[in-house]
Amino acid sequence: MTDTLERLAGILEARKQADPDSSYVAGLYAKGLDTILKKVGEEATETVIAAKGGSSEQLVYETADLWFHTLVMLAHQGLGPEDVLSELERRFGLSGLDEKAARRQK
């Protein structure tokens, strides 16, 4: 599964050099962070609506869109799925309550 994320991250990185007229992702990069963030927000809302709607198929579809656009956002910021996966790995074995308390102390 992480291979899929790595392959997608590579494609998203390559799209930074693509002509915005020839690639949806290149077009997002060219329009800048605000456009990318609006798309992430739109996809998050659609994911919530799908979850409330009860269709597993629609929920998976919308979650895929959300993940995709989140990866575009990360790539735009010079980050990738490995950064998020490393953070998730760091949290293994931590109580969610302890992790939240540690964030408040920073």
Side-chain angles (χ1 to χ4, degrees), residues 1-104:
M1 290 290 203
T2 57
D3 182 54
T4 301
L5 291 175
E6 290 170 10
R7 286 187 4 241
L8 182 54
I11 291 168
L12 295 177
E13 196 60 36
R15 293 297 190 265
K16 289 180 178 180
Q17 310 306 318
D19 178 358
D21 293 329
S22 69
S23 163
Y24 170 74
V25 172
L28 286 175
Y29 289 143
K31 291 176 184 171
L33 183 60
D34 285 347
T35 296
I36 294 168
L37 295 176
K38 281 172 54 176
K39 195 64 184 166
V40 171
E42 174 188 318
E43 297 302 343
T45 299
E46 290 175 1
T47 300
V48 169
I49 291 167
K52 294 285 285 180
S55 166
S56 296
E57 183 177 300
Q58 192 64 30
L59 178 56
V60 168
Y61 181 88
E62 294 300 343
T63 300
D65 280 352
L66 176 58
W67 286 16
F68 177 85
H69 288 90
T70 300
L71 289 170
V72 171
M73 175 192 66
L74 288 169
H76 186 270
Q77 300 291 87
L79 300 166
E82 67 280 354
D83 297 295
V84 176
L85 293 171
S86 292
E87 175 59 16
L88 290 172
E89 183 67 30
R90 183 191 68 79
R91 294 180 187 187
F92 267 105
L94 286 179
S95 155
L97 296 174
D98 290 343
E99 197 275 330
K100 281 188 175 191
R103 277 191 271 161
R104 280 189 226 123

